């Protein structure tokens, strides 16, 4: 039987023991493969037997004899880094359960909070080794995100973290996320509280009936904000998930740069970054089906023009749809729309931008613009 041909770099990535065993069985070689964050302590016999020339092992625990042997055959071995609150070589995105593990002891005990504390300490120290680990981590997250999104149509929903549970605006954002998810789109947000959480909640609620979303909104309103207690805020979300397990998937893309904003528990897949610039550009670049901008402040204004710039220059190809929601907010409170209009005038992006009054109008506007 001929070995399966390898066509792309992703075909050479091994991210689980199942994949490792399959490659060894089918190819009889690990040459030029990249093995990422896989515990190989029980695969010593295979590592001693197969060709590993040109292979790269990223954060893979292995027996010292096996590590010495694969190095001798020309492989690169990047060992696990002890004492870190995160795995810089991770091969998959985070889940809410992973980031909020130990929440019963308080948010400060969770991996999410500990990673932020590490970030704050090492950023202050200016440690070049720590900055290298952050860069490796963020690149690993981007790689995992790209693998997850193959073949999907992603729509971004942007908005401020200050939107409180229990408000009409929050409920509207949840209904928007649900409608977009039911239309077959993958909802992606900045992954934090407020409007971001509401849209992820809506996607989570997509498989359920109206009663579920109504009741979930009521329960969440009992802890309206992540201040003063992130623990109470997060526990309310996990209580909803426990009562209605198996919700629809969506993406959250938060950052430890804004460590005071915790990730929300309704995004099934969380691509959390240390570098906010990488996070912002990655979120918008992957939202090829368009972006809906809900009312927000400085962060959302930044995202509008981060998205407008490649649309203006067409540096990512054909401009993607941009829908701004709430006319008064974007023309009076933060008059972003007039500037966006002036930039778009007589360019291809002019037919890809829209301003609507009500959040209920956003899905139709997105369709009309070609999203």
């Amino acid at each position: 039987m001929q070995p399966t041909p390898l066509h792309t770099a992703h075909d050479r990535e091994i991210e689980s023991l199942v994949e490792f065993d399959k490659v060894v069985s089918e190819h009889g070689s690990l040459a030029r493969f990249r093995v990422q964050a896989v515990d190989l302590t029980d695969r010593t016999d295979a590592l001693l037997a197969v060709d590993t020339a040109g292979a790269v092992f990223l954060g893979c625990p292995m027996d010292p004899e096996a590590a010495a042997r694969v190095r001798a055959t020309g492989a690169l071995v990047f060992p696990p880094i002890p004492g870190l609150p995160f795995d810089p070589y991770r091969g998959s995105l985070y889940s809410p359960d992973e980031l909020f593990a130990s929440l019963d002891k308080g948010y400060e005990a969770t991996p999410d909070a500990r990673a932020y504390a590490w970030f704050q300490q090492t950023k202050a120290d200016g440690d070049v080794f720590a900055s290298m680990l952050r860069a490796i981590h963020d690149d690993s997250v981007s790689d995992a995100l790209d693998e997850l999104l193959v073949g999907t149509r992603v729509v971004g929903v942007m908005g401020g973290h200050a939107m409180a549970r229990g408000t009409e605006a929050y409920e509207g954002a949840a209904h928007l996320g649900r409608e977009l998810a039911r239309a077959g789109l993958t909802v992606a947000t900045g992954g934090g509280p407020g409007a971001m959480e509401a849209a992820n909640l809506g996607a989570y609620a997509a498989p359920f009936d109206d009663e579920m979303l109504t009741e979930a909104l009521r329960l969440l309103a009992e802890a309206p904000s992540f201040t003063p207690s992130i623990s109470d805020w997060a526990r309310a979300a996990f209580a909803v998930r426990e009562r209605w397990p198996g919700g629809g998937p969506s993406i959250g893309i938060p950052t430890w740069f804004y460590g005071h904003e915790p990730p929300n528990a309704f995004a099934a897949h969380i691509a959390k970054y240390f570098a906010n610039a990488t996070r912002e550009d990655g979120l918008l670049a992957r939202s090829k089906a368009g972006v809906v901008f809900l009312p927000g402040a400085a962060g959302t204004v930044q995202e509008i023009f981060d998205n407008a710039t490649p649309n203006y220059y067409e540096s990512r190809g054909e401009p993607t749809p941009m829908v701004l929601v709430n006319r008064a907010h974007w023309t009076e409170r933060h008059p972003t729309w007039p500037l966006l209009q002036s930039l778009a005038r007589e360019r291809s992006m002019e037919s890809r931008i829209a301003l609507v009054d009500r959040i209920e109008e956003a899905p139709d506007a997105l369709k009309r613009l070609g999203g």
Side-chain angles (χ1 to χ4, degrees):
M1 184 178 190
Q2 294 295 318
T4 304
L6 303 177
H7 300 291
T8 70
H10 283 309
D11 291 330
R12 298 197 305 272
E13 292 182 7
I14 297 173
E15 297 168 348
S16 69
L17 276 177
V18 172
E19 292 177 351
F20 180 90
D21 292 340
K22 182 178 180 182
V23 168
V24 170
S25 174
E26 292 184 358
H27 298 280
S29 172
L30 292 169
R32 298 183 301 281
F33 276 85
R34 280 76 175 103
V35 190
Q36 191 173 354
V38 180
D39 188 341
L40 299 175
T41 52
D42 291 332
R43 295 298 185 272
T44 299
D45 290 345
L47 293 170
L48 294 176
V50 301
D51 182 12
T52 55
V56 179
F57 295 86
L58 298 167
C60 299
M62 63 179 76
D63 182 86
E65 181 185 6
R69 191 265 174 182
V70 299
R71 285 194 181 99
T73 64
L76 287 175
V77 178
F78 292 78
I81 311 297
L84 290 178
F86 63 95
D87 181 359
Y89 307 113
R90 60 180 305 113
S92 62
L93 299 184
Y94 292 98
S95 69
D97 291 326
E98 181 180 0
L99 286 176
F100 284 102
S102 301
L103 182 62
D104 58 320
K105 301 175 184 177
Y107 173 70
E108 294 73 17
T110 66
D112 186 65
R114 290 190 292 111
Y116 176 58
W118 176 90
F119 177 39
Q120 289 294 94
Q121 177 186 342
T122 58
K123 186 173 63 171
D125 293 344
D127 185 352
V128 66
F129 180 57
S131 64
M132 181 193 74
L133 292 175
R134 294 197 297 268
I136 292 172
H137 168 274
D138 286 1
D139 191 65
S140 297
V141 168
S142 290
D143 182 67
L145 183 58
D146 285 337
E147 291 175 0
L148 178 71
L149 296 180
V150 169
T152 63
R153 297 179 66 234
V154 179
V155 59
V157 179
M158 311 298 164
H161 69 266
M163 184 184 289
R165 296 166 172 173
T167 62
E168 184 178 342
Y170 185 96
E171 180 179 350
H175 282 280
L176 172 67
R178 187 177 66 170
E179 184 167 349
L180 294 172
R182 287 179 173 177
L185 296 165
T186 297
V187 173
T189 78
M196 297 171 280
E197 180 189 55
N200 288 129
L201 166 64
Y204 187 89
F208 302 101
D209 58 18
D210 290 349
E211 184 180 350
M212 174 270 174
L213 183 54
T214 299
E215 183 64 8
L217 290 166
R218 186 190 68 78
L219 293 172
L220 291 171
E222 296 176 5
S225 174
F226 64 96
T227 58
S229 173
I230 294 176
S231 299
D232 291 345
W233 174 85
R235 288 180 185 126
F238 278 99
V240 168
R241 284 173 31 126
E242 184 176 353
R243 181 166 173 180
W244 293 281
S250 65
I251 310 295
I253 307 182
T255 173
W256 281 294
F257 183 81
Y258 296 129
H260 62 285
E261 295 181 18
N264 77 74
F266 293 110
H269 309 285
I270 301 176
K272 190 150 192 179
Y273 289 91
F274 288 104
N276 186 51
T278 304
R279 168 252 193 167
E280 291 278 9
D281 185 68
L283 171 55
L284 295 167
R286 291 172 175 87
S287 298
K288 297 185 182 299
V291 183
V292 178
F293 296 93
L294 303 177
T300 311
V301 171
Q302 176 186 344
E303 289 164 345
I304 289 172
F305 291 106
D306 280 346
N307 198 44
T309 300
N311 281 347
Y312 180 91
Y313 290 111
E314 299 187 44
S315 54
R316 294 182 186 141
E318 185 178 353
T320 53
M322 300 176 64
V323 179
L324 278 61
V325 177
N326 192 315
R327 187 176 301 275
H329 186 87
W330 295 121
T331 61
E332 298 172 17
R333 184 173 184 182
H334 298 302
T336 303
W337 175 251
L339 178 54
L340 183 63
Q341 267 191 313
S342 67
L343 285 171
R345 192 168 296 122
E346 298 181 357
R347 304 188 74 89
S348 298
M349 68 179 286
E350 187 171 20
S351 63
R352 294 299 182 93
I353 64 171
L355 175 65
V356 299
D357 280 318
R358 297 179 299 109
I359 199 167
E360 294 83 2
E361 300 173 76
D364 285 341
L366 198 62
K367 293 175 186 175
R368 185 173 69 252
L369 299 180

